[in-house]
Amino acid sequence: MSIFARPHYRSDATEFLDALKGRQPELEAQQRQGRALLWDKPVDRQFWQQANAAKVAQKPYVYQTEPTLKG
């Protein structure tokens, strides 16, 4: 056993979340629906390939315009 292991310790946050999920069993399903609404989107791989192919290389110093002095 590790000297850092605390097998019987449960943080206040963990106990709160467990109690909340016990009182509202539908909460986790609502969280998954919200995540699906905002984050879980299908990836259009063809679009990403086209976007990556269309990238323009950035100049080393982006604030430098084309040189105006002719040497």
Side-chain angles (χ1 to χ4, degrees), residues 2-31:
S2 170
I3 62 171
F4 299 109
R6 299 176 73 182
H8 302 294
Y9 173 75
R10 289 175 52 87
S11 71
D12 292 340
T14 302
E15 288 180 359
F16 169 76
L17 290 173
D18 287 344
L20 181 63
K21 288 179 182 179
R23 288 191 307 269
Q24 298 179 2
E26 71 281 352
L27 183 63
E28 200 163 336
Q30 290 173 348
Q31 288 177 322

Side-chain angles (χ1 to χ4, degrees), residues 59-69:
K59 295 183 179 183
Y61 186 68
V62 295
Y63 300 109
Q64 176 67 45
T65 57
E66 294 299 319
T68 55
L69 298 175

